[in-house]
Amino acid sequence: DVGSSLLNELAEGLYTREAVLREYIQNAVDAHRLWERETGERPTEPIQVELRPNSISILDRGIGMNEQEARNVKAVAVSPKRTGQVSVELTGHKGVGIWAGLSFFESLTLRTSRKGHVKGYQIDLRFRRILEAIDEKTHIGNALNPNYEIFEFTEEIDAHYTDVTLTGPVKDREWFLDATEIGKAIRETCPCQVSPNFVFHDEVSNWLEQHGFDTFPITLNRSRMYREYSSAVELFSTETLTVDDKPVAEVWYATSKKKMLKPAKDELIGFRIVQTGFV
């Protein structure tokens, strides 16, 4: 007996619009990490974010899901990431998963398939109707079940992917459908690769690899997203930060050539804390 209002409180309390986008990209990154653990190879295709007139989709070519995993995807706070059932470091630990966009979009459609299976699965969640059905006296199943469907379809046996489409933004609509804003959020918060135009590209890329910090190819409307930094800097430096002689963070930084460095459009200026690739 769980009141359905709990689901809405979870979604409302955890996420800003940037965090909603980041959560779905985190799931895609985790799928790529799991594929690499299983096969020893990284997916050759990037994580693709696509904007359409009334929707945004996130497609990964990661491990995908079998039938049971697809049926479990609507679970809240029982993610295998939280329970230690996976042995690779993953990023989406809150356990809210596909519900992150509940209060932001009218609906979610997820299509997925796992290599070695001839079936794929489509999940439809009618977010808006679920919210309309929520109140303190309504059982969570009564709000969810009429607005949740899962379908089976035939798929190529070698296919492996998850494609999440969020349709009908009802909050921050202009932001979610603006390629400039979405691109900025991806570059600033997600583990994109470092811009090849950055003066210390090689140094930063090598430093990230040496310290086990993953970056991933991510595209927006088929254009590659990069972390951008001002090249008006010099003296690339690295440090290990310690507290009571215990290392707590690895740091790289560069020094501005000017007393006051004004960033060009979308460049990252200042210090940012990054954990498992996400700001």
Side-chain angles (χ1 to χ4, degrees), residues 159-179:
H160 54 95
Y161 63 89
T162 297
D163 189 3
V164 174
T165 298
L166 298 151
T167 301
V170 295
K171 286 172 59 176
D172 296 310
R173 176 180 176 83
E174 292 184 359
W175 188 88
F176 276 109
L177 300 180
D178 187 325

Side-chain angles (χ1 to χ4, degrees), residues 192-220:
C192 302
Q193 295 168 331
V194 176
S195 171
N197 297 322
F198 180 44
V199 64
F200 291 125
H201 168 271
D202 292 346
E203 289 86 346
V204 172
S205 297
N206 291 335
W207 182 88
L208 291 170
E209 183 177 353
Q210 290 168 6
H211 290 87
F213 296 149
D214 289 334
T215 60
F216 294 83
I218 302 174
T219 63
L220 173 61

Side-chain angles (χ1 to χ4, degrees), residues 5 7 32 82 84 99 109 115 121 123 185 202-203 231 243 248:
S5 60
L7 187 59
H32 277 223
R82 294 169 60 90
W99 294 102
T109 297
K115 185 174 181 178
Y121 301 92
I123 294 167
D202 292 346
E203 289 86 346
S231 286
V243 174
V248 296

Side-chain angles (χ1 to χ4, degrees), residues 234-247:
E234 57 190 357
L235 302 175
F236 177 81
S237 304
T238 64
E239 286 186 29
T240 299
L241 301 187
T242 62
V243 174
D244 296 329
D245 296 325
K246 296 180 180 179

Side-chain angles (χ1 to χ4, degrees), residues 183 186-188 192-196 218 224-228:
I186 292 172
R187 286 192 294 270
E188 289 188 350
C192 302
Q193 295 168 331
V194 176
S195 171
I218 302 174
R224 184 66 65 87
M225 296 287 100
Y226 291 107
R227 281 212 172 151
E228 302 283 351

Side-chain angles (χ1 to χ4, degrees), residues 43-103:
T44 56
E45 298 184 55
I47 294 167
Q48 296 175 249
V49 181
E50 298 287 335
L51 290 183
R52 300 180 182 89
N54 195 39
S55 66
I56 181 171
S57 66
I58 300 93
L59 169 65
D60 70 70
R61 303 288 182 174
I63 196 165
M65 302 180 210
N66 59 29
E67 180 178 4
Q68 190 59 55
E69 289 165 335
R71 291 187 180 277
N72 289 343
V73 77
K74 69 180 185 296
V76 176
V78 290
S79 166
K81 304 171 192 177
R82 294 169 60 90
T83 57
Q85 297 174 24
V86 294
S87 59
V88 62
E89 185 174 31
L90 302 179
T91 56
H93 292 288
K94 291 186 178 73
V96 175
I98 64 170
W99 294 102
L102 174 63
S103 61

